Amino acid sequence: MATASSLFLASPVATAPRAGARPTSSAAFPVLPSLRLRKPSPVVAAAVQAEHQPAVAAAPKPPALPFRVGHGFDLHRLEPDLPLIIGGINIPHDRGCDAHSDGDVLLHCVVDAILGALGLPDIGQIFPDSDPRWKGADSSVFMREAVKLMHEAGYELGNLDATLILQKPKISPFKEIIRSNLCGLLGADPSVVNLKAKTHEKVDSLGENRSIAAHTVVLLMRK
């Protein structure tokens, strides 16, 4: 089982695709010049590499099932004058997620879906918000660890279906660049990664632009 000494960090768009995956077409995912990819801090990378993570180390190795299914959910409160990071992309908005890390609701729920499929502890146990090392941390750190654990357990991504729930801003102009970055982090072909976005019809905190949520379902296939 992995320890934190085996964690690594790289630019989200520099991730090599997994074996057998078709290369992602740059034409299919046009890069919008006004958006910024989040780049993890080298200080965070060093902390992850140096520190043992007992929650992962203590977890039993999952049985060799032909496939495994996981579900992830995350929700964050939105506050003025904070960055809104979704799928590793800084989205222009007057509000952002109030969270210990960068508050990337999409990456957090994808991580939890993968960990859940593997029968491992959730993201809050592996990267607790009581640990000052994760203050403002880029969520690609958590994604890369989840993907590494998936491959170490002998699985690869079958497909992923994610749903964002927020009233504002409209996600459709940013959907493809978010999905492209998500594919890069997963090392997955775009054909197996789906992203949807819904409003909450002005109901409760989600519909009143006071929070943002996401659901993700993943299918992992035995290699």
Side-chain angles (χ1 to χ4, degrees):
M1 185 55 62
T3 65
S5 61
S6 64
L7 299 177
F8 63 91
L9 195 60
S11 169
V13 294
T15 307
R18 61 175 172 80
R22 298 192 301 274
T24 304
S25 169
S26 59
F29 300 111
V31 176
L32 305 182
S34 61
L35 303 180
R36 293 191 294 109
L37 287 173
R38 290 272 293 175
K39 293 186 178 180
S41 164
V43 175
V44 174
V48 176
Q49 290 167 350
E51 189 68 19
H52 177 63
Q53 296 291 344
V56 175
K61 187 174 182 179
L65 302 175
F67 62 87
R68 302 178 71 93
V69 175
H71 171 260
F73 170 77
D74 196 31
L75 180 145
H76 286 297
R77 186 172 65 251
L78 292 173
E79 296 289 352
D81 303 320
L82 290 175
L84 180 60
I85 311 298
I86 301 177
I89 306 299
N90 196 333
I91 304 296
H93 193 40
D94 62 353
R95 294 170 176 258
C97 291
D98 183 15
H100 186 68
S101 66
D102 65 1
D104 193 324
V105 67
L106 178 59
L107 295 192
H108 291 182
C109 87
V110 170
V111 168
D112 260 349
I114 294 172
L115 296 176
L118 296 172
L120 295 175
D122 63 39
I123 189 173
Q125 291 178 267
I126 299 175
F127 299 100
D129 60 11
S130 58
D131 191 331
R133 290 176 305 152
W134 313 129
K135 180 66 175 177
D138 192 295
S139 294
S140 65
V141 173
F142 316 141
M143 275 288 295
R144 294 184 190 286
E145 171 65 354
V147 170
K148 180 177 66 63
L149 291 171
M150 174 183 73
H151 288 301
E152 287 180 350
Y155 290 89
E156 61 185 357
L157 184 68
N159 73 295
L160 178 151
D161 186 32
T163 302
L164 288 165
I165 307 171
L166 71 167
Q167 197 66 30
K168 297 178 182 179
K170 294 293 185 183
I171 295 300
S172 54
F174 316 113
K175 185 185 293 185
E176 290 309 309
I177 191 171
I178 293 172
R179 190 163 73 103
S180 176
N181 195 49
L182 185 57
C183 290
L185 289 168
L186 292 164
D189 188 272
S191 65
V192 301
V193 176
N194 189 44
L195 175 63
K196 307 183 299 293
K198 307 287 184 181
T199 70
H200 215 242
E201 299 295 338
K202 300 183 180 181
V203 177
D204 66 34
S205 66
L206 288 165
E208 294 169 357
N209 194 32
R210 293 187 289 113
S211 63
I212 178 175
H215 289 269
T216 299
V217 176
V218 298
L219 173 68
L220 306 185
M221 308 294 293
R222 191 75 183 169
K223 292 182 182 180

